Amino acid sequence: MAEGGGGGGGPRRKALSLLEAARSRYESLQISDDVFGESGQDSSGNPFYSTSADSRSASSQDEDEEPLIPGGGGGGSPGPTEEEEEEKKGGWTPTLRDAPPPDFKDSFGPTRKMPQTASAMDFFQLFVPDNVLKNMVVQTNMYAKKYQERFGKDDAWMDVTLTEMKAFLGYMISTSIHHCESVLSIWSSGFYSNKSIALIMTQPRFEKILKYFHIVAFRSSQMTHGLYKIQPFLDSLQYGFDSAFRPSQTQVLHEPLIDEDPVFIATCTERELRKRKKRKFSLWVRQCSSTGFICQVYVHLKEGGGADGLDALKNKPQLHSMVAKSLCQNASGKNYIIFTGPSITSLNLFEEFEKQEIYCCGLLSSRKSDCTGLPPSMLHNPDAPQSRGQYRIKMKGNMSLICWYNKGHFRFLTNAYSPVQQGVIIKRKSGEIPCPLAVEAFAAHLSYICKYDDKYSKYFISHKPNKTWQQVFWFTISIAINNAYILYKMSDAYHVKRYSRAQFGERLIKELLGLEDTSPSH
């Protein structure tokens, strides 16, 4: 089996170039707990950053350290066991060969140049343009009319206008900045009251719009999906994401962190909290690991009875494989490198993606992952004590299975990084810990996503409706605003006025409420 710390020759510039930008970005990060679940003083600081090319080469091992050998190894190598013979028949071998990362086949960054005078509203409307808002107006009025035909006339109702719909969204979005207990607190006399925006619309009018608000008023004969009330909006939002931005080569599939309203958490009963946390859907994203821009959103209903429902699938790994395929359906042919968590990582999925020119690097868990086709000897921890940085690797074609030790055994499956190239994980007190390049890449890109979650998840809209389609709508609106801010930071407008995420949100709210002039001359 391949010895840890080995690796052939010096690292290739081409193979390492993908991580150079990542290393420079991550130098200043302060991460208390690294992506491998460690905690305590030793894991504080940056867990992965390295600038020294020598430290990433095969010769980076200190002379006074014990040689990194296979677990329990030493002296002469015993003959192959029956298990190893079976693994060899399956194509897995300890003989390693260089397999450099694939060349990127696409450009990266915003697809259009926004002017220096572009407002927060201009960036937001890249994803939620006026035609989408006008459709909300039409559908809301249609639903109100049908509702009153069935349940009786509502004398207080008047058809909503586009201006009112924008103001309605502005009030909802304000909860992402102020995190008030309820959006209705804006009109109260309490701590979360906001007289500066409360005068734009009365509370009774807001409540009427909230009562009848719809994106799709009625189900058509073609609509059988459980999310039919929001699917047109999700499709439009996805088109906006695709049209406005091209992601970098490295991306991550994961469930974004969605913070609950802290006031709600502090004041609700345990029963209310349990009920609130039992959402009927899961939201997955494909996210650019260089910028944090969310490229694609996939919503899975947990209680669906269709072909994609959990009751129609054999197990959760099969469900997560389906989620990954849905998120990557438009990613083929560009040599993207996708990082995945244990629930998605599997040999069959990675091999299927490789045929579509999508390459992967994933953390593996014998409990959470689909381990079909993987060598059993690599899934069991060796009996002999391990040293930090010690690892074993087996290869099948371009696929490498890595078992790396760092206060615990961590396994990675990848066809995106060469197994003979080395990286390092940096610890503030224990120094450099050697590892294969794939491990360093995984730590770097996943830690950036963790940093994104820490920064942006607090700006999710606090309003928590009971209806599933409305929950999905407000979550995706929050994602759209975060994406709009990322594009703003990459534009010339950011160099004119450097707004923070909170300031950007405040500007957007005022522009939606008509309190700010959004004309180019402003």
Side-chain angles (χ1 to χ4, degrees), residues 194-268:
N194 193 335
K195 301 300 182 184
S196 63
I197 65 176
L199 299 177
I200 303 300
M201 181 184 292
T202 65
Q203 180 177 340
R205 180 57 176 166
F206 174 85
E207 291 185 70
K208 287 296 180 185
I209 298 175
L210 179 60
K211 176 180 178 179
Y212 295 120
F213 175 69
H214 267 71
I215 296 170
V216 175
F218 311 111
R219 183 200 296 263
S220 68
S221 57
Q222 292 82 19
M223 292 181 177
T224 58
H225 194 275
L227 292 171
Y228 77 92
K229 285 196 172 186
I230 195 178
Q231 193 60 52
F233 174 76
L234 296 178
D235 294 340
S236 173
L237 197 65
Q238 187 59 56
Y239 176 78
F241 291 168
D242 293 339
S243 301
F245 184 80
R246 292 192 182 97
S248 65
Q249 184 177 20
T250 53
Q251 298 161 41
V252 178
L253 304 186
H254 71 115
E255 288 185 274
L257 177 64
I258 301 173
D259 277 355
E260 287 282 0
D261 176 18
V263 175
F264 172 82
I265 296 296
T267 59
C268 72

Side-chain angles (χ1 to χ4, degrees), residues 15 17 25 60 77 129 149 239 242 250 297 321-322 354 369 378 421 477 503 520:
S17 62
R25 278 201 314 274
S60 64
S77 299
E149 287 176 356
Y239 176 78
D242 293 339
T250 53
V297 176
S321 176
M322 182 205 68
E354 187 173 3
S369 305
M378 295 289 287
Q421 299 295 342
I477 283 287
Q503 291 171 328

